[in-house]
Amino acid sequence: MDIKEFFEQSAGKWFSQRTSHHLAFRQAENGKSNIRIEMLAADDPEVVKLCQQYEVEPGLALCGARVTWDGTMEWDEDKENHKGSTVLVPIPDSDKPNEGRLLREMGYAEKAPVAGRYMMGSDDALTLITEYETMYSEERLWFASPNLRLRTSILKRFGGFSMASLSSEIRMGVGQPEKKAEDAANV
Amino acid sequence: MDIKEFFEQSAGKWFSQRTSHHLAFRQAENGKSNIRIEMLAADDPEVVKLCQQYEVEPGLALCGARVTWDGTMEWDEDKENHKGSTVLVPIPDSDKPNEGRLLREMGYAEKAPVAGRYMMGSDDALTLITEYETMYSEERLWFASPNLRLRTSILKRFGGFSMASLSSEIRMGVGQPEKKAEDAANV
């Protein structure tokens, strides 16, 4: 699977359960969210615009995806924190077709656009590495089945790992926003 | 890294935070445990005994490990459920040095010995697949750092995935049972 196929398989509506292990505090924080992922063509105006922001030639974009989420985490003071939207655009390396830069409009944890690195593994898992000013994030996403997408992430701050997270994402079907997770599982 | 090196790197005392996502119920269950992992030599009497139980020639064993755990999960009625011990013995395939059978004395979820399959990936992650009578378990273990071991597992029952879990394991040091997780992190 290449990253375009991974994006295509990700398109749709997902119900996500997320747990973060705060390692220093030995505490777990749970959250839930609804996620919608839409494919964007390589020549979509949003893809072209994002490339221009990063000063990347738009013709190098493989495709794009718009990701929209709306959720809650237990410890949130500001419940709006986990509502948002971003555009992702993979720009493959010229010499390595299965890895490259991942442009993103704006993620949950950052205030300014940051490009990450992506690698599609031979096991069809997608690894994303993003280095922020004071933080390092490593995510691994894979499909346990076409309707169950899993994501782990580890966060490093000030040189040490501070958090490990798991998201279990269950596909809710297209055009069936009222479909219950119980119906989707077993997945 | 081969599986023997993975076992060696795993030796020690660990504090583990575990969360299970029960997919059909959209519920997360948290737990904590202390884990101790001790390496056993290939000719250790416990390794030889386990091989004999599985009718495997003991000379084929690469090494062994004794894993002891003591923990709690929120939903447990019987708090003794998460206390136990097992011996693991890898028996590599003759034609594939990085995969093989993993003999185990007795795991948390089973009542009788079951051999799983292990694969060491080129990314130094250890994948374990165990098929029980009514259940399929796939685990992935890897070191984010020498002192932070992560483990995901997914459980399939009756043909569909029913549970996804994350364990974050922080090394507590050798001979320092009183060492606090706060001291170990950032890890």
Side-chain angles (χ1 to χ4, degrees):
Chain A
M1 186 161 20
D2 63 24
I3 193 167
K4 192 176 170 190
E5 290 166 319
F6 193 95
F7 275 30
E8 283 165 352
Q9 198 169 328
S10 300
K13 290 178 183 169
W14 300 84
F15 171 74
S16 171
Q17 263 186 278
R18 179 181 169 104
T19 300
S20 295
H21 291 170
H22 297 272
L23 301 175
F25 306 112
R26 296 187 178 196
Q27 294 296 324
E29 182 189 12
N30 296 308
K32 295 179 179 182
S33 57
N34 291 303
I35 298 173
R36 176 200 288 264
I37 301 175
E38 296 157 273
M39 277 298 282
L40 301 175
D43 61 357
D44 186 284
E46 294 206 79
V47 174
V48 173
K49 185 177 139 205
L50 194 61
C51 289
Q52 288 166 344
Q53 282 173 3
Y54 280 91
E55 299 179 353
V56 168
E57 161 58 39
L60 298 174
L62 265 187
C63 61
R66 171 163 285 286
V67 183
T68 310
W69 61 92
D70 184 358
T72 52
M73 287 295 281
E74 287 171 342
W75 298 1
D76 276 0
E77 294 183 10
D78 175 2
K79 294 294 177 196
E80 292 302 296
N81 244 347
H82 290 279
K83 193 168 181 171
S85 171
T86 192
V87 174
L88 302 173
V89 173
I91 309 288
D93 288 353
S94 55
D95 53 339
K96 295 182 211 129
N98 290 322
E99 54 183 281
R101 296 175 73 197
L102 187 70
L103 314 186
R104 67 175 102 191
E105 206 182 42
M106 186 160 157
Y108 139 56
E110 73 263 23
K111 302 285 178 224
V114 175
R117 294 280 313 162
Y118 75 84
M119 283 139 276
M120 275 303 307
S122 55
D123 57 357
D124 288 344
L126 172 62
T127 300
L128 301 179
I129 291 177
T130 314
E131 301 199 47
Y132 305 90
E133 226 172 281
T134 60
M135 199 165 75
Y136 167 95
S137 146
E138 193 175 317
E139 289 184 286
R140 184 171 188 272
L141 296 94
W142 73 101
F143 289 91
S145 77
N147 298 324
L148 177 59
R149 197 173 84 149
L150 296 167
R151 174 200 302 253
T152 56
S153 70
I154 47 178
L155 269 191
K156 207 186 251 189
R157 281 178 201 268
F158 310 115
F161 287 104
S162 59
M163 193 165 84
S165 306
L166 171 69
S167 298
S168 306
E169 301 170 345
I170 301 173
R171 186 187 298 278
M172 301 307 285
V174 179
Q176 299 168 58
E178 73 291 356
K179 193 178 178 191
K180 293 190 184 132
E182 285 88 326
D183 300 334
N186 295 332
V187 284
Chain B
M1 185 159 22
D2 64 23
I3 193 167
K4 192 177 170 189
E5 290 166 320
F6 192 95
F7 275 29
E8 283 165 352
Q9 198 170 329
S10 301
K13 290 177 182 168
W14 300 83
F15 170 75
S16 171
Q17 263 186 278
R18 180 182 168 102
T19 300
S20 295
H21 290 170
H22 297 272
L23 301 175
F25 306 112
R26 296 186 178 196
Q27 294 295 324
E29 182 189 12
N30 297 308
K32 295 177 179 182
S33 56
N34 291 303
I35 299 173
R36 177 200 288 264
I37 301 175
E38 295 159 274
M39 277 299 282
L40 301 175
D43 60 356
D44 187 284
E46 294 205 80
V47 173
V48 172
K49 185 177 139 205
L50 194 62
C51 289
Q52 288 166 343
Q53 283 173 3
Y54 281 90
E55 299 179 353
V56 169
E57 162 58 38
L60 298 174
L62 265 187
C63 62
R66 171 163 285 285
V67 183
T68 309
W69 62 92
D70 184 358
T72 52
M73 287 294 282
E74 287 172 340
W75 298 1
D76 274 2
E77 293 182 11
D78 176 2
K79 294 293 177 197
E80 292 303 295
N81 243 348
H82 291 277
K83 194 168 180 170
S85 171
T86 191
V87 174
L88 302 173
V89 173
I91 309 288
D93 289 353
S94 55
D95 54 340
K96 294 183 212 131
N98 290 324
E99 54 184 282
R101 295 174 74 196
L102 187 71
L103 314 185
R104 68 175 100 191
E105 207 182 40
M106 186 160 157
Y108 140 56
E110 74 262 23
K111 301 286 178 223
V114 175
R117 296 279 313 163
Y118 75 85
M119 283 140 277
M120 276 304 305
S122 55
D123 56 358
D124 288 343
L126 172 62
T127 300
L128 301 178
I129 291 177
T130 314
E131 301 199 47
Y132 304 90
E133 227 172 280
T134 60
M135 200 164 74
Y136 167 95
S137 147
E138 192 175 317
E139 289 184 286
R140 183 171 189 272
L141 296 94
W142 73 103
F143 289 92
S145 77
N147 297 324
L148 176 60
R149 197 173 85 149
L150 297 167
R151 175 200 301 253
T152 55
S153 70
I154 47 179
L155 269 191
K156 207 186 250 189
R157 281 177 200 268
F158 310 114
F161 287 104
S162 59
M163 193 164 84
S165 305
L166 171 69
S167 298
S168 306
E169 300 170 345
I170 300 173
R171 187 187 298 278
M172 302 307 286
V174 179
Q176 300 169 57
E178 74 290 355
K179 192 178 178 191
K180 292 188 184 133
E182 286 88 327
D183 301 334
N186 295 332
V187 284

